Amino acid sequence: MEQDLVLGIDIGGQSSKLGVVNARGTIIERDTFSSKGLNDLDSYINALTSSINALIEKVGGKERIKGIGVGAPNGNFYKGTIEYAPNLTWGRDKDGNPTTIDFANIVSEKVGVPVILTNDANAAAVGEMTYGAARGMKNFIEITLGTGVGSGIVIGGYVLYGHDGFAGELGHTTAVRGNGRRCGCGRTGCLETYASAIGVARTAREMLESQPDRASSLRDIPLEEITSKDVAIAAANGDELSKDVFKFTGTILGRSLADFVAFSAPEAIVLFGGLCKAGDLILKPTVEALEANVLTLWKNKVKVIFSTLDDSDAAILGAGALAW
Amino acid sequence: MEQDLVLGIDIGGQSSKLGVVNARGTIIERDTFSSKGLNDLDSYINALTSSINALIEKVGGKERIKGIGVGAPNGNFYKGTIEYAPNLTWGRDKDGNPTTIDFANIVSEKVGVPVILTNDANAAAVGEMTYGAARGMKNFIEITLGTGVGSGIVIGGYVLYGHDGFAGELGHTTAVRGNGRRCGCGRTGCLETYASAIGVARTAREMLESQPDRASSLRDIPLEEITSKDVAIAAANGDELSKDVFKFTGTILGRSLADFVAFSAPEAIVLFGGLCKAGDLILKPTVEALEANVLTLWKNKVKVIFSTLDDSDAAILGAGALAW
């Protein structure tokens, strides 16, 4: 039987999403399961292989599956490992510390199909190149603006992995020097602390506190409960302070993008993830700051565009595309 | 006859250096000519082809030459062009403005040998990988610390050129935000304004002015005449202020290197050029700042080493290596 399908898996802290993908990029079967209660590796792997096997059965057996592609936090493409991922409750050692899991080998042995693994932002970049806004592009940077900020850098049609498999951590480059925000990674001033959903909420809180006399519909929400979604809704409804939050966010992001361009000279930068829902509110200041800060030779040359992939499918499609 | 030789050319603002290189990386014949008086393209090309032809004759004719490799400022690998190089007096249009020169094609037609061209920092990276400190490495970044700051980024054994051929302008990424130094490129805060020979001299002048009561042997030199070499000599002789100049320079450089590591996850960063003569004075603070600022997963993993290529031969060897 022809190997005309791949299986893409998107592993997150809360849940895992699986999809069987055909050559045209359509997800023909899917499943999702929660990580809740799966607190050790064996339990998780059992739940995962059950889900995989059920899907494979549905589409007519593993003879049709060319391979399994996995997008996982801290996924290492070279080794097929997940290394020290802080948000995976089942990825810890006996003392409860995040550890290294030989993930691709374990799953491949259990299921009997080749498994390839990468991190989630790289999977999104592969999905973008195969089915999304970067089709036909050989050099672009995918920036994922979600809870955190991730990136997948594509060079000559291939994802950049570097010497150790972890290249492309642009969320942890320095956006603000000196008095930058403290980041969960231990550094300060990381792009992630400004251009993520959490960063937007933080900026909103800071602006509300530092401009106490300024009116804003965000003041109806308890300060500590404001989310980036609240800010986006308020901005879309014309709230000036909320618009300024996105302007600030886009300015920080665009300045960083100018430096990224000097590194790899991409044809385009593709923005992906929840923050993109803000549309022009985030895009305009980002492009303005990029153009104001980029070296003359790249002015008006590098496109900044939104992903055309569906948020929840991107990692499945990207991980699946890896397996072709 | 066997094509057992290549010809490497290093084009600078003041002079052009040529060398015939054998497969072991030995320069077996060389020539240099000054650009003085060569104020239009025809004059320059005539001088260059005379030099090339004389060298080729010396080694037994063009049948032995596999190709000519050129390292030039603003050289574009994809197109073989030199584009808007500000320092080449012969590279200007009728109005005296820097213009685009179809360099590789012109030389190839005149000489009858294939010509390949790249920028000088990329040529140095190729030289490093072929004959220098990066032998055997597939992923590293060459940083050239000369009058300016350039870079050649090697990924999977190939120089990174990006979408348009100009990737790797790390000297023009932002090292200092907000109140950074004005750069010749039109931006502010560029790494080049701090980590170049000119940047070191500028830092020395600033420190001498801002700390008027501090003793320093640099005070024997008129302020505007202080060069990075003066600072290096003073530091080597124990002058504390001069040591602090290098400490400051290395700290700025190391912080930027931490961000570069997050981009391409290199095995090593190779420092090349005049500033390396300062040895540990520049290396130690650079490594300290890198380690203090790099993401945890790369701590104590990325080597920072000096080039082992001779300064004046690196571009010839690198350009030549391109031609193999």
Short mmCIF file of all heavy atoms in Angstrom, two decimals, chain B residues 34-63:
data_model
loop_
_atom_site.label_atom_id
_atom_site.label_comp_id
_atom_site.label_asym_id
_atom_site.label_seq_id
_atom_site.Cartn_x
_atom_site.Cartn_y
_atom_site.Cartn_z
N SER B 34 48.22 49.97 -5.43
CA SER B 34 47.47 51.02 -4.76
C SER B 34 46.33 51.52 -5.66
O SER B 34 46.43 51.52 -6.88
CB SER B 34 48.41 52.18 -4.44
OG SER B 34 47.67 53.35 -4.19
N SER B 35 45.23 51.93 -5.02
CA SER B 35 44.10 52.48 -5.78
C SER B 35 44.31 53.97 -6.08
O SER B 35 43.50 54.58 -6.76
CB SER B 35 42.80 52.34 -4.98
OG SER B 35 42.63 51.02 -4.54
N LYS B 36 45.39 54.52 -5.57
CA LYS B 36 45.64 55.96 -5.72
C LYS B 36 45.66 56.35 -7.20
O LYS B 36 46.36 55.72 -8.00
CB LYS B 36 46.97 56.32 -5.06
CG LYS B 36 46.95 57.69 -4.40
CD LYS B 36 48.24 57.95 -3.65
CE LYS B 36 48.35 59.43 -3.32
NZ LYS B 36 49.60 59.73 -2.64
N GLY B 37 44.92 57.36 -7.55
CA GLY B 37 44.89 57.83 -8.93
C GLY B 37 43.96 57.03 -9.83
O GLY B 37 43.67 57.43 -10.96
N LEU B 38 43.48 55.88 -9.34
CA LEU B 38 42.55 55.07 -10.13
C LEU B 38 41.12 55.52 -9.79
O LEU B 38 40.45 54.92 -8.97
CB LEU B 38 42.73 53.58 -9.83
CG LEU B 38 44.15 53.04 -10.04
CD1 LEU B 38 44.24 51.59 -9.60
CD2 LEU B 38 44.55 53.17 -11.51
N ASN B 39 40.68 56.57 -10.45
CA ASN B 39 39.43 57.20 -10.04
C ASN B 39 38.22 56.85 -10.90
O ASN B 39 37.14 57.39 -10.70
CB ASN B 39 39.61 58.72 -9.96
CG ASN B 39 40.55 59.08 -8.81
OD1 ASN B 39 40.53 58.43 -7.76
ND2 ASN B 39 41.38 60.07 -9.01
N ASP B 40 38.44 55.98 -11.88
CA ASP B 40 37.26 55.50 -12.61
C ASP B 40 37.41 54.00 -12.83
O ASP B 40 38.50 53.44 -12.70
CB ASP B 40 37.10 56.24 -13.95
CG ASP B 40 38.27 56.01 -14.85
OD1 ASP B 40 39.29 56.74 -14.68
OD2 ASP B 40 38.23 55.09 -15.70
N LEU B 41 36.30 53.39 -13.18
CA LEU B 41 36.24 51.93 -13.24
C LEU B 41 37.24 51.37 -14.26
O LEU B 41 37.94 50.39 -13.97
CB LEU B 41 34.81 51.48 -13.57
CG LEU B 41 34.58 49.97 -13.57
CD1 LEU B 41 34.90 49.36 -12.21
CD2 LEU B 41 33.14 49.65 -13.97
N ASP B 42 37.32 52.01 -15.45
CA ASP B 42 38.21 51.49 -16.49
C ASP B 42 39.67 51.46 -16.02
O ASP B 42 40.36 50.46 -16.21
CB ASP B 42 38.10 52.36 -17.75
CG ASP B 42 36.82 52.02 -18.53
OD1 ASP B 42 36.18 51.00 -18.18
OD2 ASP B 42 36.47 52.77 -19.45
N SER B 43 40.11 52.54 -15.40
CA SER B 43 41.50 52.58 -14.92
C SER B 43 41.74 51.47 -13.90
O SER B 43 42.76 50.79 -13.94
CB SER B 43 41.82 53.92 -14.23
OG SER B 43 41.23 54.98 -14.91
N TYR B 44 40.77 51.29 -12.98
CA TYR B 44 40.96 50.27 -11.96
C TYR B 44 41.01 48.88 -12.57
O TYR B 44 41.90 48.07 -12.25
CB TYR B 44 39.86 50.34 -10.89
CG TYR B 44 40.05 49.25 -9.85
CD1 TYR B 44 40.97 49.41 -8.82
CD2 TYR B 44 39.37 48.03 -9.95
CE1 TYR B 44 41.21 48.41 -7.92
CE2 TYR B 44 39.60 47.01 -9.05
CZ TYR B 44 40.53 47.20 -8.03
OH TYR B 44 40.77 46.18 -7.14
N ILE B 45 40.06 48.61 -13.47
CA ILE B 45 40.01 47.27 -14.08
C ILE B 45 41.28 47.00 -14.89
O ILE B 45 41.81 45.89 -14.89
CB ILE B 45 38.74 47.14 -14.96
CG1 ILE B 45 37.47 47.17 -14.08
CG2 ILE B 45 38.78 45.86 -15.80
CD1 ILE B 45 37.25 45.95 -13.21
N ASN B 46 41.79 48.03 -15.57
CA ASN B 46 43.04 47.85 -16.32
C ASN B 46 44.20 47.50 -15.39
O ASN B 46 44.97 46.58 -15.67
CB ASN B 46 43.37 49.13 -17.11
CG ASN B 46 42.51 49.22 -18.36
OD1 ASN B 46 41.99 48.21 -18.85
ND2 ASN B 46 42.33 50.45 -18.87
N ALA B 47 44.31 48.23 -14.28
CA ALA B 47 45.38 47.95 -13.31
C ALA B 47 45.22 46.54 -12.75
O ALA B 47 46.19 45.78 -12.62
CB ALA B 47 45.35 48.98 -12.19
N LEU B 48 43.97 46.16 -12.44
CA LEU B 48 43.72 44.85 -11.85
C LEU B 48 44.05 43.72 -12.83
O LEU B 48 44.74 42.76 -12.47
CB LEU B 48 42.25 44.75 -11.41
CG LEU B 48 41.83 43.41 -10.79
CD1 LEU B 48 42.53 43.19 -9.45
CD2 LEU B 48 40.31 43.34 -10.60
N THR B 49 43.58 43.84 -14.06
CA THR B 49 43.82 42.75 -15.02
C THR B 49 45.31 42.65 -15.36
O THR B 49 45.82 41.54 -15.57
CB THR B 49 42.97 42.92 -16.30
OG1 THR B 49 43.08 44.26 -16.76
CG2 THR B 49 41.50 42.62 -16.01
N SER B 50 46.02 43.77 -15.38
CA SER B 50 47.48 43.70 -15.58
C SER B 50 48.12 42.87 -14.48
O SER B 50 48.94 41.99 -14.73
CB SER B 50 48.10 45.10 -15.53
OG SER B 50 47.62 45.87 -16.58
N SER B 51 47.72 43.17 -13.23
CA SER B 51 48.28 42.45 -12.09
C SER B 51 47.92 40.96 -12.17
O SER B 51 48.76 40.09 -11.96
CB SER B 51 47.77 43.07 -10.79
OG SER B 51 48.13 42.27 -9.69
N ILE B 52 46.65 40.67 -12.47
CA ILE B 52 46.19 39.27 -12.58
C ILE B 52 46.98 38.54 -13.65
O ILE B 52 47.52 37.44 -13.42
CB ILE B 52 44.68 39.21 -12.91
CG1 ILE B 52 43.84 39.73 -11.73
CG2 ILE B 52 44.26 37.79 -13.30
CD1 ILE B 52 42.35 39.87 -12.07
N ASN B 53 47.08 39.16 -14.83
CA ASN B 53 47.74 38.48 -15.95
C ASN B 53 49.21 38.23 -15.68
O ASN B 53 49.74 37.16 -16.02
CB ASN B 53 47.55 39.28 -17.25
CG ASN B 53 46.11 39.18 -17.75
OD1 ASN B 53 45.44 38.15 -17.55
ND2 ASN B 53 45.62 40.24 -18.38
N ALA B 54 49.86 39.18 -15.02
CA ALA B 54 51.28 39.00 -14.68
C ALA B 54 51.45 37.82 -13.73
O ALA B 54 52.35 36.98 -13.90
CB ALA B 54 51.84 40.28 -14.05
N LEU B 55 50.56 37.72 -12.72
CA LEU B 55 50.64 36.61 -11.77
C LEU B 55 50.39 35.28 -12.47
O LEU B 55 51.08 34.29 -12.21
CB LEU B 55 49.60 36.80 -10.66
CG LEU B 55 49.94 37.78 -9.53
CD1 LEU B 55 48.77 37.91 -8.57
CD2 LEU B 55 51.19 37.30 -8.77
N ILE B 56 49.38 35.26 -13.32
CA ILE B 56 49.03 34.02 -14.02
C ILE B 56 50.20 33.56 -14.90
O ILE B 56 50.54 32.37 -14.95
CB ILE B 56 47.74 34.21 -14.84
CG1 ILE B 56 46.52 34.34 -13.90
CG2 ILE B 56 47.53 33.05 -15.81
CD1 ILE B 56 45.20 34.56 -14.61
N GLU B 57 50.82 34.52 -15.55
CA GLU B 57 51.98 34.19 -16.39
C GLU B 57 53.09 33.56 -15.55
O GLU B 57 53.67 32.55 -15.92
CB GLU B 57 52.49 35.48 -17.05
CG GLU B 57 53.49 35.21 -18.16
CD GLU B 57 53.15 36.04 -19.40
OE1 GLU B 57 51.95 36.30 -19.63
OE2 GLU B 57 54.08 36.43 -20.11
N LYS B 58 53.33 34.16 -14.38
CA LYS B 58 54.39 33.66 -13.49
C LYS B 58 54.21 32.20 -13.10
O LYS B 58 55.18 31.49 -12.88
CB LYS B 58 54.43 34.49 -12.19
CG LYS B 58 55.29 35.73 -12.28
CD LYS B 58 55.48 36.30 -10.87
CE LYS B 58 56.13 37.68 -10.92
NZ LYS B 58 56.06 38.36 -9.63
N VAL B 59 52.95 31.78 -12.92
CA VAL B 59 52.73 30.40 -12.46
C VAL B 59 52.47 29.44 -13.61
O VAL B 59 52.14 28.27 -13.39
CB VAL B 59 51.56 30.32 -11.44
CG1 VAL B 59 51.89 31.11 -10.18
CG2 VAL B 59 50.24 30.77 -12.05
N GLY B 60 52.60 29.92 -14.85
CA GLY B 60 52.55 28.98 -15.97
C GLY B 60 51.29 29.02 -16.80
O GLY B 60 51.00 28.07 -17.54
N GLY B 61 50.50 30.11 -16.69
CA GLY B 61 49.36 30.25 -17.59
C GLY B 61 48.03 29.92 -16.95
O GLY B 61 47.95 29.27 -15.91
N LYS B 62 46.97 30.40 -17.60
CA LYS B 62 45.65 30.32 -16.97
C LYS B 62 45.06 28.92 -16.97
O LYS B 62 44.07 28.67 -16.28
CB LYS B 62 44.69 31.34 -17.58
CG LYS B 62 44.24 31.08 -19.00
CD LYS B 62 43.30 32.20 -19.42
CE LYS B 62 42.96 32.05 -20.91
NZ LYS B 62 42.26 33.21 -21.44
N GLU B 63 45.68 28.00 -17.70
CA GLU B 63 45.22 26.61 -17.65
C GLU B 63 45.33 26.05 -16.24
O GLU B 63 44.63 25.10 -15.89
CB GLU B 63 46.01 25.73 -18.63
CG GLU B 63 45.81 26.05 -20.10
CD GLU B 63 46.57 27.31 -20.51
OE1 GLU B 63 47.53 27.70 -19.81
OE2 GLU B 63 46.16 27.93 -21.50
#
